Amino acid sequence: MAERVEIAVARTPADIAACMALRWQAFVVEQGVPEADELDGEDDACVHVLARVGGAAAGAARVRSLGEAVKIQRVCVEAARRGQGIGAALIRFCADQGRAQGAARAVLGAQVQALPFYEGLGFEAYGPVYDDAGIAHRDMALTL
């Protein structure tokens, strides 16, 4: 039986640090994103979300309110835990948070290779492909 995924808003400094460590590993170490791009100065304006499996940090995301929309960003899952539904659970949690805030839609910039993942969660791509930190991305939106 698969372990249960627990997702919550990261409220303590330790939980936020866990989110940042997961992001650092996924984006800077694994994908080669420049440190300045990962640490963009926007973290204080965002709600951080932490996924735990068996009490251990396993995934993270951040959500920024843009008025009638929420922007889901920095979605990552620990390498050993990928393919277990944690990323999808994070996205659903973030969308639910936006819905609870009264947002009409959720938006995100998806790495092109992840488009099918987000499409499977109901997101629709729009606009051209663009470069973000040396990685091809495309904007996507989900009506809440």
Side-chain angles (χ1 to χ4, degrees):
M1 179 156 97
E3 293 180 88
R4 193 167 135 241
V5 178
E6 296 176 352
I7 300 176
V9 171
R11 299 193 189 280
T12 68
D15 284 350
I16 292 171
C19 291
M20 300 302 285
L22 286 161
R23 286 172 38 189
W24 186 268
Q25 179 64 34
F27 299 119
V28 177
V29 175
E30 294 175 28
Q31 295 185 357
V33 170
E35 180 179 345
D37 288 336
E38 168 54 24
L39 302 174
D40 62 1
E42 297 291 328
D43 285 312
D44 289 345
C46 298
V47 171
H48 298 269
V49 177
L50 181 62
R52 292 185 180 279
V53 177
R62 74 179 191 189
V63 182
R64 188 167 48 137
S65 178
L66 300 174
E68 292 189 12
V70 291
K71 186 165 189 179
I72 302 171
Q73 301 174 298
R74 304 302 200 269
V75 179
C76 62
V77 174
E78 180 184 36
R81 294 281 186 186
R82 293 181 190 146
Q84 299 177 15
I86 296 168
L90 276 165
I91 296 299
R92 287 187 194 102
F93 183 92
C94 292
D96 288 345
Q97 291 289 300
R99 201 175 285 111
Q101 294 173 14
R105 64 189 187 124
V107 297
L108 54 81
Q111 292 183 11
V112 170
Q113 53 86 16
L115 288 173
F117 167 77
Y118 290 109
E119 288 168 344
L121 294 168
F123 282 80
E124 294 183 10
Y126 65 92
V129 173
Y130 60 92
D131 178 274
D132 184 359
I135 301 169
H137 281 70
R138 191 149 182 228
D139 288 330
M140 301 189 85
L142 172 71
T143 300
L144 300 176

